[in-house]
Amino acid sequence: MDISALFKITYGLYIVCSKADEQQSGFIGNAVMQISAQPNQIMVASSKNNYTSELIKTSKKLTVSVLSMDAPMELIGRFGYRSGRDTDKFSDCQVFYTDDNQPVVLNHAIAWFSCEVAETRDAGTHYLFACNVIDAVITDRETPPMTYTYFHEVLKGKSPKNAPTYQIKNNINPLPKKEEIMNQDIYVCDVCGYEYDPAQGDPDNGIAPGTPFEALPDDWECPLCGVDKTNFSKV
Ligand code: FE
């Protein structure tokens, strides 16, 4: 059996949110699909470790924001790699509340659904929530949806240059010589898999292309999941 065949399944990228007892959270999900049209039902898979799973089980409600192709890494990292137990993921986000008080993240969303959980299935590491869609809105008819493949193969943990949040800060370090860049090692984040490539640097966070990993400031954080340099390993 070639397990990598499973990698050929296509997915999108979504922010799934829920609110229960005044607690709210959300996570980045890729496993969202429509399972029937009469009634309109979707299936959402959520890790049992997700705080949002607890909230969904209590509220029996969730919302799904369909992320656009230009969604920046900061947004994906914030909802994808930090826990809602100790982080307010919604700060600085544009959040809409449905009639039944469920949060919907509107940043870089091209559509969203509001759902009631009809059935929950235990799938080992995950819950499968079969949900009735009670509201559905398109917010952007032009931008294509983000795909999981694009996220992994094209973005590689960096903001796309056409993303609204993309900017090169002014206080970047001076460029090293070309031959210095050649011999620098790539480091990978042990938590989220982000690769720090010295040739690319991290311009979003003031790190010029050509900056070796060892020269990153001590307060530099993984731009995807937010852990510090000690959580990186040499590739
Ligand atoms: Fe990381």
Side-chain angles (χ1 to χ4, degrees):
M1 182 166 82
D2 184 355
I3 205 73
S4 66
L6 295 177
F7 300 162
K8 302 301 181 189
I9 298 174
T10 55
Y11 304 92
L13 221 57
Y14 311 91
I15 299 180
V16 179
C17 295
S18 188
K19 181 174 181 179
D21 303 329
E22 295 311 308
Q23 299 297 313
Q24 61 182 14
S25 194
F27 68 95
I28 296 285
N30 65 288
V32 174
M33 62 181 287
Q34 184 169 3
I35 50 177
S36 75
Q38 290 178 332
N40 281 306
Q41 273 203 343
I42 62 169
M43 190 280 297
V44 176
S46 176
S47 166
K48 289 179 178 176
N49 293 329
N50 282 340
Y51 181 44
T52 311
S53 287
E54 294 175 25
L55 299 179
I56 295 171
K57 283 175 71 78
T58 303
S59 68
K60 303 273 190 234
K61 289 171 182 168
L62 60 84
T63 68
V64 176
S65 302
V66 181
L67 287 179
S68 67
M69 195 69 109
D70 63 8
M73 272 301 167
E74 192 281 326
L75 182 67
I76 296 169
R78 174 198 293 233
F79 280 92
Y81 293 101
R82 296 170 205 211
S83 175
R85 288 186 178 87
D86 46 33
T87 318
D88 178 10
K89 297 184 176 185
F90 297 89
S91 67
D92 302 326
C93 275
Q94 198 186 345
V95 184
F96 169 80
Y97 287 89
T98 61
D99 289 344
D100 50 3
N101 203 27
Q102 290 298 305
V104 178
V105 175
L106 295 178
N107 304 59
H108 301 279
I110 60 171
W112 59 266
F113 326 120
S114 176
C115 306
E116 286 177 351
V117 176
E119 193 183 327
T120 301
R121 182 171 164 195
D122 189 319
T125 56
H126 286 65
Y127 293 116
L128 302 182
F129 297 111
C131 307
N132 291 317
V133 177
I134 55 174
D135 200 1
V137 175
I138 291 181
T139 48
D140 179 349
R141 293 183 184 276
E142 306 299 323
T143 316
M146 175 75 84
T147 67
Y148 199 54
T149 304
Y150 182 82
F151 168 67
H152 272 298
E153 295 185 358
V154 182
L155 295 186
K156 291 187 173 155
K158 290 165 65 253
S159 287
K161 283 191 174 168
N162 59 356
T165 52
Y166 185 87
Q167 55 179 310
I168 297 178
K169 292 179 182 172
N170 293 327
N171 58 341
I172 56 180
N173 302 326
L175 289 172
K177 297 188 185 105
K178 223 177 203 173
E179 58 271 22
E180 290 174 351
I181 300 175
M182 299 286 286
N183 298 320
Q184 290 168 5
D185 295 310
I186 291 174
Y187 279 70
V188 64
C189 175
D190 300 331
V191 176
C192 73
Y194 167 85
E195 285 186 2
Y196 177 76
D197 180 353
Q200 312 267 340
D202 178 16
D204 282 356
N205 294 299
I207 307 298
T211 306
F213 183 80
E214 295 77 8
L216 291 171
D218 288 340
D219 61 355
W220 181 81
E221 296 176 337
C222 173
L224 190 48
C225 74
V227 298
D228 65 24
K229 287 173 67 181
T230 60
N231 291 281
F232 279 69
S233 307
K234 198 184 286 190
V235 173

